Amino acid sequence: MVEQHPTIRGGVYQPGFYTVSAHVPMGANVGATPDGRHAGAPLADGGLSPTAGRDRKGATAVLHSVSKLDLKLASNGTLLNMKFLPSFFEGPEALRKFATLLRGFSALHIPHVQFNVVDAGTLRAAQANPDEWRSLVVRVAGYSAYFIELDQELQDEIIRRSEFGEI
Amino acid sequence: MGLSQVTGIVFDIQRMSMHDGPGLRTNVFLKGCPLRCAWCANPESQASYPEPMLRAGQCIDCGQFLETCTHCLPNWRGQQRNQTQRIEIDERVALCPTGAVTWTGARRAAGDVIAEVLRDRPFYGDGGGMTVTGGEPTMQPDFCAALLQLAHDAGVATALETCGYTQWAIFERLLPHVDLFLYDIKHVDAAPHRQFTGVDNAPILTNLQRLTAAGARVRARIPLIPGFNATPEDVAAIAKFIAYLPRPVQGVDLLPYHTMGKAKYTALGREFPWVDHARLTDAQIREMATIFAAHGLAVTIGG
């Protein structure tokens, strides 16, 4: 469809699946969406990232969903953000598992992903706005859990620990 | 009936788990457990039937029902629901705008579960695969066997996490389709084991001896629970038992006590039974790890 519309100087448009930081102002001009997003709320924070809180089944499921799109059509590029806690990268075993995730990512032929490592500030934001951070997974003592489903008391403790980078 | 059609009660499927077995794994949680450990972090895993849960923090008092869900919860406690109650709960689950009311546990077919497990096949390199856990998966032996065999048929490696409290014949049946057992040892002393888990530990210890003798690959998993087994003496007795098994285990995982399950007790309308116990300090946990290492066991902290 894009190809049917030349640019004002006769060139071709290059579709790109990314919002960079424009997801907030763009969201302000978009009405409510059927996924439960309120009118004016921010859009997803990358062209391919799930809207905040919609990815309920973890990172591998996100990569799978993204791999279903024909990204060759996005000749201007794509943007996929994923967030992890520092503990995800702690120690040689964790790094090996991260490498496995990356190998799966490339096996699925996804052209781009970038990783954010969240900090205590993010966790505080999640505590204040649980709906936007529904999918944030944290680890405590060998167990993983959705941060927003934890007791306030335990959330506070994890925030304290993350400030010292030892989750 | 084909293996795919065998059904069982599943209460969760957790993708990209990094902590219950090697590599990246998909954990399938089977509902029902013969033990009632006082510190249990997954109380919704204990009863073998589906149960309603209410996360009161997510309830917005929507006013769709004469009685609020919070008001109704006390009637839902720890019992199988009759038909009328089930319909009432189904309605609430279907209409809840925030997902505060849910059923935990649903009957699913093995083929359907495996289809979900296979979605993450690109990530099962480097030793990853499916872990069947619970609850106690051997409580549903046919379903458990079907899941393990279907995974193997699809070329996916398997692990089985178990409390060991089952009949030997069931382990014998599952053995060919389990690549790694994650086997919990909580106490070698019978009296505290009975007092705090509700069952005798003799079958658990004997089954572990027989499993290793039969050549199974096993990682022993030890929950470190203050007030139950987290003393140097109790831990040394466990280490000694593991070190003298007929064949060596792959390693030992220490799982320090945590209170992450507390909110789930509230959601099920139950009291958290294991209060007033402080968490272990890092120094204490390291001391316990040293004891296992001194018995020649490869030990890790956390799953």
Side-chain angles (χ1 to χ4, degrees), chain B residues 259-286:
Chain B
T259 52
M260 308 227 322
K262 215 163 135 181
K264 296 198 230 174
Y265 281 91
T266 317
L268 288 163
R270 290 166 55 180
E271 300 283 327
F272 184 57
W274 197 250
V275 283
D276 302 331
H277 290 279
R279 288 171 53 149
L280 298 167
T281 64
D282 287 352
Q284 283 172 311
I285 296 167
R286 277 196 297 273

PDB file of all heavy atoms in Angstrom, chain B residues 259-286:
ATOM      1  N   THR B 259       9.566 -15.546  51.346  1.00  0.00           N
ATOM      2  CA  THR B 259       8.148 -15.380  51.682  1.00  0.00           C
ATOM      3  C   THR B 259       7.358 -14.902  50.464  1.00  0.00           C
ATOM      4  O   THR B 259       6.306 -14.291  50.607  1.00  0.00           O
ATOM      5  CB  THR B 259       7.972 -14.355  52.820  1.00  0.00           C
ATOM      6  OG1 THR B 259       8.663 -13.159  52.448  1.00  0.00           O
ATOM      7  CG2 THR B 259       8.527 -14.875  54.110  1.00  0.00           C
ATOM      8  N   MET B 260       7.876 -15.242  49.252  1.00  0.00           N
ATOM      9  CA  MET B 260       7.205 -14.744  48.054  1.00  0.00           C
ATOM     10  C   MET B 260       5.804 -15.313  47.885  1.00  0.00           C
ATOM     11  O   MET B 260       5.004 -14.778  47.118  1.00  0.00           O
ATOM     12  CB  MET B 260       8.028 -15.075  46.821  1.00  0.00           C
ATOM     13  CG  MET B 260       9.442 -14.615  46.959  1.00  0.00           C
ATOM     14  SD  MET B 260      10.109 -13.731  45.576  1.00  0.00           S
ATOM     15  CE  MET B 260       9.429 -14.542  44.199  1.00  0.00           C
ATOM     16  N   GLY B 261       5.515 -16.421  48.559  1.00  0.00           N
ATOM     17  CA  GLY B 261       4.204 -17.032  48.386  1.00  0.00           C
ATOM     18  C   GLY B 261       3.123 -16.421  49.269  1.00  0.00           C
ATOM     19  O   GLY B 261       1.950 -16.778  49.176  1.00  0.00           O
ATOM     20  N   LYS B 262       3.533 -15.505  50.144  1.00  0.00           N
ATOM     21  CA  LYS B 262       2.617 -14.983  51.155  1.00  0.00           C
ATOM     22  C   LYS B 262       1.321 -14.413  50.551  1.00  0.00           C
ATOM     23  O   LYS B 262       0.221 -14.734  51.020  1.00  0.00           O
ATOM     24  CB  LYS B 262       3.348 -13.885  51.932  1.00  0.00           C
ATOM     25  CG  LYS B 262       2.996 -13.820  53.390  1.00  0.00           C
ATOM     26  CD  LYS B 262       4.052 -13.001  54.113  1.00  0.00           C
ATOM     27  CE  LYS B 262       3.418 -12.015  55.054  1.00  0.00           C
ATOM     28  NZ  LYS B 262       4.453 -11.190  55.737  1.00  0.00           N
ATOM     29  N   ALA B 263       1.476 -13.598  49.505  1.00  0.00           N
ATOM     30  CA  ALA B 263       0.296 -12.967  48.903  1.00  0.00           C
ATOM     31  C   ALA B 263      -0.657 -14.014  48.314  1.00  0.00           C
ATOM     32  O   ALA B 263      -1.867 -13.798  48.240  1.00  0.00           O
ATOM     33  CB  ALA B 263       0.719 -11.979  47.826  1.00  0.00           C
ATOM     34  N   LYS B 264      -0.092 -15.164  47.906  1.00  0.00           N
ATOM     35  CA  LYS B 264      -0.940 -16.199  47.316  1.00  0.00           C
ATOM     36  C   LYS B 264      -1.836 -16.850  48.370  1.00  0.00           C
ATOM     37  O   LYS B 264      -2.954 -17.260  48.069  1.00  0.00           O
ATOM     38  CB  LYS B 264      -0.077 -17.271  46.651  1.00  0.00           C
ATOM     39  CG  LYS B 264       0.729 -16.749  45.477  1.00  0.00           C
ATOM     40  CD  LYS B 264       1.199 -17.898  44.627  1.00  0.00           C
ATOM     41  CE  LYS B 264       2.664 -17.811  44.329  1.00  0.00           C
ATOM     42  NZ  LYS B 264       3.170 -18.982  43.633  1.00  0.00           N
ATOM     43  N   TYR B 265      -1.333 -16.959  49.600  1.00  0.00           N
ATOM     44  CA  TYR B 265      -2.190 -17.483  50.673  1.00  0.00           C
ATOM     45  C   TYR B 265      -3.398 -16.573  50.845  1.00  0.00           C
ATOM     46  O   TYR B 265      -4.531 -17.026  50.942  1.00  0.00           O
ATOM     47  CB  TYR B 265      -1.409 -17.580  51.994  1.00  0.00           C
ATOM     48  CG  TYR B 265      -0.507 -18.783  52.084  1.00  0.00           C
ATOM     49  CD1 TYR B 265       0.811 -18.724  51.669  1.00  0.00           C
ATOM     50  CD2 TYR B 265      -0.981 -19.999  52.580  1.00  0.00           C
ATOM     51  CE1 TYR B 265       1.642 -19.827  51.739  1.00  0.00           C
ATOM     52  CE2 TYR B 265      -0.164 -21.110  52.665  1.00  0.00           C
ATOM     53  CZ  TYR B 265       1.158 -21.031  52.241  1.00  0.00           C
ATOM     54  OH  TYR B 265       1.957 -22.122  52.306  1.00  0.00           O
ATOM     55  N   THR B 266      -3.123 -15.255  50.888  1.00  0.00           N
ATOM     56  CA  THR B 266      -4.211 -14.297  51.035  1.00  0.00           C
ATOM     57  C   THR B 266      -5.196 -14.454  49.876  1.00  0.00           C
ATOM     58  O   THR B 266      -6.405 -14.464  50.078  1.00  0.00           O
ATOM     59  CB  THR B 266      -3.641 -12.866  51.035  1.00  0.00           C
ATOM     60  OG1 THR B 266      -2.464 -12.855  51.855  1.00  0.00           O
ATOM     61  CG2 THR B 266      -4.644 -11.877  51.575  1.00  0.00           C
ATOM     62  N   ALA B 267      -4.643 -14.592  48.654  1.00  0.00           N
ATOM     63  CA  ALA B 267      -5.506 -14.695  47.469  1.00  0.00           C
ATOM     64  C   ALA B 267      -6.392 -15.940  47.515  1.00  0.00           C
ATOM     65  O   ALA B 267      -7.473 -15.962  46.952  1.00  0.00           O
ATOM     66  CB  ALA B 267      -4.647 -14.694  46.208  1.00  0.00           C
ATOM     67  N   LEU B 268      -5.908 -16.987  48.196  1.00  0.00           N
ATOM     68  CA  LEU B 268      -6.690 -18.219  48.317  1.00  0.00           C
ATOM     69  C   LEU B 268      -7.586 -18.193  49.553  1.00  0.00           C
ATOM     70  O   LEU B 268      -8.297 -19.146  49.843  1.00  0.00           O
ATOM     71  CB  LEU B 268      -5.744 -19.425  48.438  1.00  0.00           C
ATOM     72  CG  LEU B 268      -4.979 -19.842  47.178  1.00  0.00           C
ATOM     73  CD1 LEU B 268      -3.817 -20.741  47.552  1.00  0.00           C
ATOM     74  CD2 LEU B 268      -5.902 -20.551  46.195  1.00  0.00           C
ATOM     75  N   GLY B 269      -7.505 -17.090  50.311  1.00  0.00           N
ATOM     76  CA  GLY B 269      -8.300 -16.991  51.524  1.00  0.00           C
ATOM     77  C   GLY B 269      -7.748 -17.851  52.641  1.00  0.00           C
ATOM     78  O   GLY B 269      -8.498 -18.369  53.475  1.00  0.00           O
ATOM     79  N   ARG B 270      -6.428 -18.028  52.658  1.00  0.00           N
ATOM     80  CA  ARG B 270      -5.806 -18.841  53.713  1.00  0.00           C
ATOM     81  C   ARG B 270      -4.805 -18.008  54.495  1.00  0.00           C
ATOM     82  O   ARG B 270      -4.379 -16.950  54.060  1.00  0.00           O
ATOM     83  CB  ARG B 270      -5.100 -20.043  53.081  1.00  0.00           C
ATOM     84  CG  ARG B 270      -6.057 -21.078  52.508  1.00  0.00           C
ATOM     85  CD  ARG B 270      -5.362 -22.066  51.611  1.00  0.00           C
ATOM     86  NE  ARG B 270      -4.228 -22.733  52.261  1.00  0.00           N
ATOM     87  CZ  ARG B 270      -3.469 -23.652  51.664  1.00  0.00           C
ATOM     88  NH1 ARG B 270      -3.724 -24.007  50.417  1.00  0.00           N
ATOM     89  NH2 ARG B 270      -2.479 -24.204  52.299  1.00  0.00           N
ATOM     90  N   GLU B 271      -4.443 -18.542  55.663  1.00  0.00           N
ATOM     91  CA  GLU B 271      -3.429 -17.874  56.477  1.00  0.00           C
ATOM     92  C   GLU B 271      -2.055 -18.390  56.074  1.00  0.00           C
ATOM     93  O   GLU B 271      -1.897 -19.584  55.813  1.00  0.00           O
ATOM     94  CB  GLU B 271      -3.644 -18.201  57.971  1.00  0.00           C
ATOM     95  CG  GLU B 271      -4.984 -17.772  58.526  1.00  0.00           C
ATOM     96  CD  GLU B 271      -5.044 -16.282  58.790  1.00  0.00           C
ATOM     97  OE1 GLU B 271      -4.001 -15.705  59.157  1.00  0.00           O
ATOM     98  OE2 GLU B 271      -6.139 -15.703  58.610  1.00  0.00           O
ATOM     99  N   PHE B 272      -1.053 -17.509  56.024  1.00  0.00           N
ATOM    100  CA  PHE B 272       0.315 -17.950  55.789  1.00  0.00           C
ATOM    101  C   PHE B 272       0.794 -18.648  57.053  1.00  0.00           C
ATOM    102  O   PHE B 272       0.833 -18.047  58.122  1.00  0.00           O
ATOM    103  CB  PHE B 272       1.201 -16.732  55.474  1.00  0.00           C
ATOM    104  CG  PHE B 272       2.610 -17.084  55.113  1.00  0.00           C
ATOM    105  CD1 PHE B 272       2.878 -17.935  54.056  1.00  0.00           C
ATOM    106  CD2 PHE B 272       3.683 -16.549  55.823  1.00  0.00           C
ATOM    107  CE1 PHE B 272       4.187 -18.253  53.704  1.00  0.00           C
ATOM    108  CE2 PHE B 272       4.995 -16.861  55.482  1.00  0.00           C
ATOM    109  CZ  PHE B 272       5.241 -17.717  54.420  1.00  0.00           C
ATOM    110  N   PRO B 273       1.100 -19.967  56.961  1.00  0.00           N
ATOM    111  CA  PRO B 273       1.330 -20.714  58.194  1.00  0.00           C
ATOM    112  C   PRO B 273       2.723 -20.542  58.797  1.00  0.00           C
ATOM    113  O   PRO B 273       2.953 -20.947  59.922  1.00  0.00           O
ATOM    114  CB  PRO B 273       1.130 -22.166  57.752  1.00  0.00           C
ATOM    115  CG  PRO B 273       1.435 -22.185  56.299  1.00  0.00           C
ATOM    116  CD  PRO B 273       1.156 -20.807  55.772  1.00  0.00           C
ATOM    117  N   TRP B 274       3.645 -19.967  58.054  1.00  0.00           N
ATOM    118  CA  TRP B 274       5.044 -20.020  58.500  1.00  0.00           C
ATOM    119  C   TRP B 274       5.532 -18.610  58.780  1.00  0.00           C
ATOM    120  O   TRP B 274       6.218 -17.995  57.971  1.00  0.00           O
ATOM    121  CB  TRP B 274       5.895 -20.688  57.410  1.00  0.00           C
ATOM    122  CG  TRP B 274       7.231 -21.161  57.856  1.00  0.00           C
ATOM    123  CD1 TRP B 274       8.440 -20.623  57.507  1.00  0.00           C
ATOM    124  CD2 TRP B 274       7.523 -22.272  58.698  1.00  0.00           C
ATOM    125  NE1 TRP B 274       9.457 -21.328  58.081  1.00  0.00           N
ATOM    126  CE2 TRP B 274       8.929 -22.341  58.818  1.00  0.00           C
ATOM    127  CE3 TRP B 274       6.736 -23.208  59.382  1.00  0.00           C
ATOM    128  CZ2 TRP B 274       9.568 -23.318  59.593  1.00  0.00           C
ATOM    129  CZ3 TRP B 274       7.359 -24.171  60.135  1.00  0.00           C
ATOM    130  CH2 TRP B 274       8.747 -24.222  60.231  1.00  0.00           C
ATOM    131  N   VAL B 275       5.082 -18.063  59.898  1.00  0.00           N
ATOM    132  CA  VAL B 275       5.450 -16.687  60.220  1.00  0.00           C
ATOM    133  C   VAL B 275       6.608 -16.647  61.218  1.00  0.00           C
ATOM    134  O   VAL B 275       7.051 -17.687  61.704  1.00  0.00           O
ATOM    135  CB  VAL B 275       4.240 -15.918  60.814  1.00  0.00           C
ATOM    136  CG1 VAL B 275       3.296 -15.521  59.705  1.00  0.00           C
ATOM    137  CG2 VAL B 275       3.529 -16.740  61.865  1.00  0.00           C
ATOM    138  N   ASP B 276       7.064 -15.453  61.499  1.00  0.00           N
ATOM    139  CA  ASP B 276       8.073 -15.230  62.537  1.00  0.00           C
ATOM    140  C   ASP B 276       9.410 -15.909  62.269  1.00  0.00           C
ATOM    141  O   ASP B 276      10.149 -16.198  63.193  1.00  0.00           O
ATOM    142  CB  ASP B 276       7.574 -15.699  63.920  1.00  0.00           C
ATOM    143  CG  ASP B 276       6.298 -14.988  64.309  1.00  0.00           C
ATOM    144  OD1 ASP B 276       6.124 -13.847  63.855  1.00  0.00           O
ATOM    145  OD2 ASP B 276       5.489 -15.578  65.039  1.00  0.00           O
ATOM    146  N   HIS B 277       9.696 -16.226  61.019  1.00  0.00           N
ATOM    147  CA  HIS B 277      11.019 -16.752  60.746  1.00  0.00           C
ATOM    148  C   HIS B 277      11.766 -15.783  59.848  1.00  0.00           C
ATOM    149  O   HIS B 277      11.312 -15.473  58.752  1.00  0.00           O
ATOM    150  CB  HIS B 277      10.944 -18.131  60.082  1.00  0.00           C
ATOM    151  CG  HIS B 277      10.465 -19.179  61.048  1.00  0.00           C
ATOM    152  ND1 HIS B 277      11.300 -19.771  61.954  1.00  0.00           N
ATOM    153  CD2 HIS B 277       9.247 -19.714  61.248  1.00  0.00           C
ATOM    154  CE1 HIS B 277      10.588 -20.644  62.678  1.00  0.00           C
ATOM    155  NE2 HIS B 277       9.341 -20.624  62.268  1.00  0.00           N
ATOM    156  N   ALA B 278      12.903 -15.315  60.335  1.00  0.00           N
ATOM    157  CA  ALA B 278      13.700 -14.387  59.541  1.00  0.00           C
ATOM    158  C   ALA B 278      14.315 -15.125  58.372  1.00  0.00           C
ATOM    159  O   ALA B 278      14.476 -16.344  58.413  1.00  0.00           O
ATOM    160  CB  ALA B 278      14.801 -13.789  60.415  1.00  0.00           C
ATOM    161  N   ARG B 279      14.623 -14.393  57.318  1.00  0.00           N
ATOM    162  CA  ARG B 279      15.335 -15.020  56.208  1.00  0.00           C
ATOM    163  C   ARG B 279      16.785 -15.235  56.587  1.00  0.00           C
ATOM    164  O   ARG B 279      17.332 -14.547  57.440  1.00  0.00           O
ATOM    165  CB  ARG B 279      15.233 -14.132  54.971  1.00  0.00           C
ATOM    166  CG  ARG B 279      13.826 -14.156  54.397  1.00  0.00           C
ATOM    167  CD  ARG B 279      13.652 -13.145  53.319  1.00  0.00           C
ATOM    168  NE  ARG B 279      14.701 -13.302  52.311  1.00  0.00           N
ATOM    169  CZ  ARG B 279      14.514 -13.026  51.026  1.00  0.00           C
ATOM    170  NH1 ARG B 279      13.345 -12.625  50.628  1.00  0.00           N
ATOM    171  NH2 ARG B 279      15.492 -13.151  50.175  1.00  0.00           N
ATOM    172  N   LEU B 280      17.407 -16.232  55.954  1.00  0.00           N
ATOM    173  CA  LEU B 280      18.810 -16.507  56.227  1.00  0.00           C
ATOM    174  C   LEU B 280      19.677 -15.383  55.660  1.00  0.00           C
ATOM    175  O   LEU B 280      19.347 -14.814  54.626  1.00  0.00           O
ATOM    176  CB  LEU B 280      19.215 -17.835  55.576  1.00  0.00           C
ATOM    177  CG  LEU B 280      18.480 -19.080  56.081  1.00  0.00           C
ATOM    178  CD1 LEU B 280      18.742 -20.251  55.145  1.00  0.00           C
ATOM    179  CD2 LEU B 280      18.909 -19.427  57.492  1.00  0.00           C
ATOM    180  N   THR B 281      20.766 -15.102  56.343  1.00  0.00           N
ATOM    181  CA  THR B 281      21.696 -14.115  55.793  1.00  0.00           C
ATOM    182  C   THR B 281      22.567 -14.798  54.738  1.00  0.00           C
ATOM    183  O   THR B 281      22.670 -16.027  54.701  1.00  0.00           O
ATOM    184  CB  THR B 281      22.623 -13.553  56.892  1.00  0.00           C
ATOM    185  OG1 THR B 281      23.431 -14.634  57.380  1.00  0.00           O
ATOM    186  CG2 THR B 281      21.825 -12.971  58.039  1.00  0.00           C
ATOM    187  N   ASP B 282      23.182 -13.992  53.882  1.00  0.00           N
ATOM    188  CA  ASP B 282      24.070 -14.552  52.857  1.00  0.00           C
ATOM    189  C   ASP B 282      25.193 -15.365  53.489  1.00  0.00           C
ATOM    190  O   ASP B 282      25.603 -16.401  52.970  1.00  0.00           O
ATOM    191  CB  ASP B 282      24.652 -13.430  51.986  1.00  0.00           C
ATOM    192  CG  ASP B 282      23.600 -12.850  51.053  1.00  0.00           C
ATOM    193  OD1 ASP B 282      22.489 -13.425  51.000  1.00  0.00           O
ATOM    194  OD2 ASP B 282      23.880 -11.845  50.395  1.00  0.00           O
ATOM    195  N   ALA B 283      25.688 -14.881  54.640  1.00  0.00           N
ATOM    196  CA  ALA B 283      26.777 -15.595  55.320  1.00  0.00           C
ATOM    197  C   ALA B 283      26.302 -16.979  55.775  1.00  0.00           C
ATOM    198  O   ALA B 283      27.016 -17.976  55.629  1.00  0.00           O
ATOM    199  CB  ALA B 283      27.278 -14.774  56.507  1.00  0.00           C
ATOM    200  N   GLN B 284      25.086 -17.035  56.328  1.00  0.00           N
ATOM    201  CA  GLN B 284      24.546 -18.333  56.770  1.00  0.00           C
ATOM    202  C   GLN B 284      24.392 -19.292  55.584  1.00  0.00           C
ATOM    203  O   GLN B 284      24.703 -20.469  55.683  1.00  0.00           O
ATOM    204  CB  GLN B 284      23.187 -18.130  57.442  1.00  0.00           C
ATOM    205  CG  GLN B 284      23.271 -17.595  58.863  1.00  0.00           C
ATOM    206  CD  GLN B 284      21.886 -17.245  59.396  1.00  0.00           C
ATOM    207  OE1 GLN B 284      21.103 -16.558  58.730  1.00  0.00           O
ATOM    208  NE2 GLN B 284      21.572 -17.731  60.589  1.00  0.00           N
ATOM    209  N   ILE B 285      23.901 -18.765  54.471  1.00  0.00           N
ATOM    210  CA  ILE B 285      23.692 -19.609  53.294  1.00  0.00           C
ATOM    211  C   ILE B 285      25.032 -20.138  52.790  1.00  0.00           C
ATOM    212  O   ILE B 285      25.168 -21.324  52.459  1.00  0.00           O
ATOM    213  CB  ILE B 285      22.944 -18.823  52.185  1.00  0.00           C
ATOM    214  CG1 ILE B 285      21.537 -18.459  52.672  1.00  0.00           C
ATOM    215  CG2 ILE B 285      22.863 -19.634  50.898  1.00  0.00           C
ATOM    216  CD1 ILE B 285      20.821 -17.442  51.811  1.00  0.00           C
ATOM    217  N   ARG B 286      26.032 -19.265  52.771  1.00  0.00           N
ATOM    218  CA  ARG B 286      27.366 -19.705  52.325  1.00  0.00           C
ATOM    219  C   ARG B 286      27.923 -20.780  53.246  1.00  0.00           C
ATOM    220  O   ARG B 286      28.575 -21.718  52.806  1.00  0.00           O
ATOM    221  CB  ARG B 286      28.330 -18.512  52.253  1.00  0.00           C
ATOM    222  CG  ARG B 286      28.202 -17.733  50.932  1.00  0.00           C
ATOM    223  CD  ARG B 286      29.411 -16.815  50.707  1.00  0.00           C
ATOM    224  NE  ARG B 286      29.510 -15.799  51.751  1.00  0.00           N
ATOM    225  CZ  ARG B 286      28.877 -14.620  51.688  1.00  0.00           C
ATOM    226  NH1 ARG B 286      28.128 -14.327  50.652  1.00  0.00           N
ATOM    227  NH2 ARG B 286      29.017 -13.742  52.661  1.00  0.00           N
TER     228      ARG B 286
END
